[in-house]
Amino acid sequence: MKFFIDTANLDQIREANDLGVLDGVTTNPSLVKKEGNIDFHERVQEICDIVDGDVSAEVTATDFNGIMTEAHELAQLHENVVVKVPLIREGIKAIRALSDEGIPTNCTLCFSPMQALLAAKAGATYISPFIGRIDDISSNGMQLIEEIVQIYANYGLETEVLAASIRHPMHVKEAALAGADVATIPFGTIQKLLEHPLTDRGLQRFLDDWNAYQDELAEAV
């Protein structure tokens, strides 16, 4: 499973990239807004300069012509840009047109298997089911991942399932078990994937034993 980071913060992206396990980035105007008074296109370009992988950048238009205009502007920024398009009627039309032009797309805000099937038929490169938001309304977000993975496998559809709106490490684990191709993960959750109390306890024990061993050697001299 590929790991993307969901952010527009350059420090977080650099730190995640330095781990050597980062495959890409997803971002949008809301995430860029959190970073202060910066230009969206410039930030996308900066991200592409850091990460050697797909960078999903979202359009803000909701009409076909507007989506296409923004998509072409984003696609010209860098060869790794993937245009993020909302799963609405005009968005599906734009995904088909962009796919025909060879421009990769990430169809976002997916909340049902049938939406995902339409996006795949339109030629989306990625589909982004928002599992955390489904959990928020007392439904099963991971079941959506499982159903999309199964439907795509049934028909050999090439669209990659990108688990989005991930809230905690269990989401990452369950998405991997369900067969998601990608998980886009907040920086804090990426950090938590490294953590385990038994790792910390075991390392401390090894260090304590090593220090005791060194003390014994020093006393023997």
Side-chain angles (χ1 to χ4, degrees):
M1 183 169 69
K2 290 186 282 190
F3 277 13
F4 289 2
I5 186 171
D6 192 39
T7 186
N9 183 284
L10 297 183
D11 290 336
Q12 292 180 354
I13 292 169
R14 289 191 186 97
E15 188 168 345
N17 193 53
D18 286 346
L19 285 174
V21 298
L22 192 64
D23 300 294
V25 178
T26 56
T27 192
N28 57 51
S30 295
L31 292 171
V32 172
K33 181 177 179 293
K34 292 180 180 180
E35 300 305 307
N37 187 23
I38 58 175
D39 181 80
F40 180 57
H41 285 188
E42 288 182 7
R43 180 49 53 99
V44 171
Q45 180 67 64
E46 290 172 325
I47 293 170
C48 290
D49 290 339
I50 297 171
V51 178
D52 184 18
D54 286 349
V55 175
S56 288
E58 190 166 346
V59 301
T60 58
T62 56
D63 63 289
F64 175 80
N65 290 332
I67 293 171
M68 293 299 292
T69 297
E70 288 188 39
H72 288 139
E73 292 173 351
L74 290 169
Q76 289 174 3
L77 293 175
H78 196 278
E79 62 182 359
N80 288 346
V81 167
V82 175
V83 180
K84 205 171 178 182
V85 180
L87 209 163
I88 56 177
R89 183 190 299 269
E90 297 297 284
I92 291 296
K93 288 165 60 178
I95 287 170
R96 166 48 63 196
L98 293 168
S99 176
D100 290 343
E101 293 181 22
I103 296 176
T105 57
N106 177 351
C107 188
T108 188
L109 292 172
C110 173
F111 294 98
S112 81
M114 291 300 94
Q115 286 181 317
L117 182 55
L118 286 173
K121 288 180 66 65
T125 310
Y126 297 100
I127 183 69
S128 289
F130 277 44
I131 56 179
R133 295 193 190 183
I134 294 177
D135 288 354
D136 288 345
I137 60 169
S138 301
S139 293
N140 189 340
M142 203 53 59
Q143 182 179 347
L144 175 59
I145 299 290
E146 294 170 355
E147 290 174 348
I148 295 172
V149 168
Q150 182 62 61
I151 290 170
Y152 283 7
N154 287 348
Y155 300 103
L157 297 170
E158 296 182 357
T159 299
E160 295 190 43
V161 180
L162 191 160
S165 187
I166 282 178
R167 304 287 172 77
H168 46 70
M170 281 301 295
H171 271 159
V172 182
K173 172 186 172 182
E174 292 170 357
L177 288 171
D181 299 288
V182 189
T184 185
I185 314 170
F187 180 67
T189 303
I190 291 177
Q191 290 180 305
K192 289 178 182 177
L193 295 177
L194 289 166
E195 298 171 0
H196 197 285
L198 293 180
T199 301
D200 297 338
R201 191 181 307 167
L203 179 59
Q204 188 60 54
R205 180 176 177 179
F206 293 151
L207 293 174
D208 290 344
D209 286 345
W210 176 254
N211 290 331
Y213 169 63
Q214 293 299 309
D215 290 343
E216 290 174 3
L217 288 178
E219 292 174 1
V221 173

